[in-house]
Amino acid sequence: MRLCAFLLVATSLATPQHAEANGERISWSHSNAGMMFMAFISADESSDRHVGFESDGRLRALYEHCDSSLPVFDLLTGESYKCKLTIRRTHKGEENWSSAGISIHGSNNSAEYPDFGVFDTSPPSKIDWQVAPLTAKERADIQATSEDLAGPKLNFHMLESAWTVRAPGGSVATFFVPGERVGEPDSDYYAQRHHVFISVKGAVLYEGRIPDKPTDYIDSNRDGIPEVITAEQCDGLCVTLWRLDSGPKGLITFGGH
């Protein structure tokens, strides 16, 4: 579920334009992916950074985890960080577990990744994903699947720009085919839809499309199919983590305005 009501907005994951209030970045993370969430990495604390889950129980579990001084792990880099949650109260003075303030303590020294991460309470499975252009056979198989299912109309240039992602030695391959462009490069919104195909034991399946080009691949499911991050170009932050099999599903949304 994408939280469009948040007006989540984003730029390239590598160079996000951060939303700020009184000089502080503000953000929201909403997750239905176990204990995973997104957050800024910062040396200071802020009351304007929020995290929430599909169930209050997940938020309570994360609070207890952080309150026990246990680390969370950035699934992009493998680095561990200290975390702190601030639980808000209702006007009646009761604890409100729908969302909490989140602080990830640390500094980001990576030139490759931005100063926010995808976090989990367990260490990540690190995979050096193999990314490569499609072979002639893969292009033919994808074209045939698309035509058989009355799927997206794919032309030569789209397939020439497509690529495959797989785990080393894996039997499952995930294909990404660039699709239509939405908006203008210099406007408030711009993205290029991408079609997703998955090959399992030689059978190529069309899974649907995601809103923009993947920027990173994560192995949280350990099934050889990457979860991917997209970051549409908007007026702020609009970042989503997607699961791809059985049709793309938004697992985590991260944004601010």
Side-chain angles (χ1 to χ4, degrees):
M1 178 183 68
R2 303 203 62 206
L3 302 185
C4 297
F6 275 169
L7 300 179
L8 302 185
V9 286
T11 60
S12 164
L13 186 62
T15 55
Q17 297 175 1
H18 302 299
E20 298 186 2
N22 299 323
E24 291 189 356
R25 298 169 183 169
I26 60 176
S27 65
W28 301 265
S29 171
H30 189 274
S31 170
N32 59 4
M35 297 296 291
M36 293 194 299
F37 63 96
M38 293 184 184
F40 282 120
I41 303 167
S42 178
D44 63 333
E45 295 184 15
S46 171
S47 60
D48 290 315
R49 300 168 192 164
H50 312 271
V51 63
F53 294 84
E54 281 293 288
S55 71
D56 294 354
R58 304 281 189 189
L59 187 60
R60 290 176 183 270
L62 181 61
Y63 175 83
E64 293 173 0
H65 181 92
C66 296
D67 196 48
S68 300
S69 298
L70 296 173
V72 291
F73 300 87
D74 187 348
L75 302 185
L76 294 174
T77 66
E79 297 289 331
S80 62
Y81 295 89
K82 293 181 179 180
C83 55
K84 179 181 178 180
L85 265 66
T86 302
I87 305 303
R88 297 173 176 81
R89 294 185 177 272
T90 67
H91 66 282
K92 296 181 179 180
E94 300 170 341
E95 292 180 336
N96 181 359
W97 290 96
S98 61
S99 66
I102 180 74
S103 295
I104 303 296
H105 300 287
S107 58
N108 178 49
N109 299 317
S110 172
E112 183 178 0
Y113 295 105
D115 57 353
F116 63 83
V118 183
F119 298 96
D120 199 351
T121 53
S122 300
S125 170
K126 186 64 176 176
I127 287 185
D128 293 323
W129 296 101
Q130 296 178 340
V131 181
L134 300 186
T135 64
K137 183 180 185 306
E138 289 170 340
R139 289 196 298 270
D141 289 344
I142 290 172
Q143 185 74 66
T145 295
S146 182
E147 292 174 353
D148 289 345
L149 298 178
K153 297 184 182 301
L154 306 178
N155 59 43
F156 173 81
H157 296 291
M158 294 166 68
L159 290 170
E160 281 291 300
S161 300
W163 68 97
T164 179
V165 177
R166 71 179 75 219
S171 60
V172 179
T174 306
F175 308 111
F176 298 94
V177 182
E180 66 176 312
R181 299 178 187 273
V182 180
E184 299 294 334
D186 57 352
S187 67
D188 287 342
Y189 184 85
Y190 179 70
Q192 183 175 20
R193 308 309 187 217
H194 277 66
H195 300 286
V196 179
F197 296 81
I198 295 178
S199 174
V200 181
K201 296 181 179 179
V204 177
L205 308 174
Y206 178 58
E207 300 295 345
R209 69 178 188 175
I210 52 179
D212 208 353
K213 180 179 180 179
T215 60
D216 286 281
Y217 310 100
I218 290 175
D219 178 40
S220 68
N221 230 23
R222 295 173 169 81
D223 59 0
I225 302 172
E227 290 80 44
V228 302
I229 296 174
T230 61
E232 294 140 279
Q233 175 182 302
C234 298
D235 183 20
L237 285 171
C238 184
V239 181
T240 308
L241 176 69
W242 298 89
R243 183 175 179 178
L244 301 177
D245 57 309
S246 301
K249 306 177 192 67
L251 299 179
I252 306 173
T253 52
F254 181 64
H257 63 79

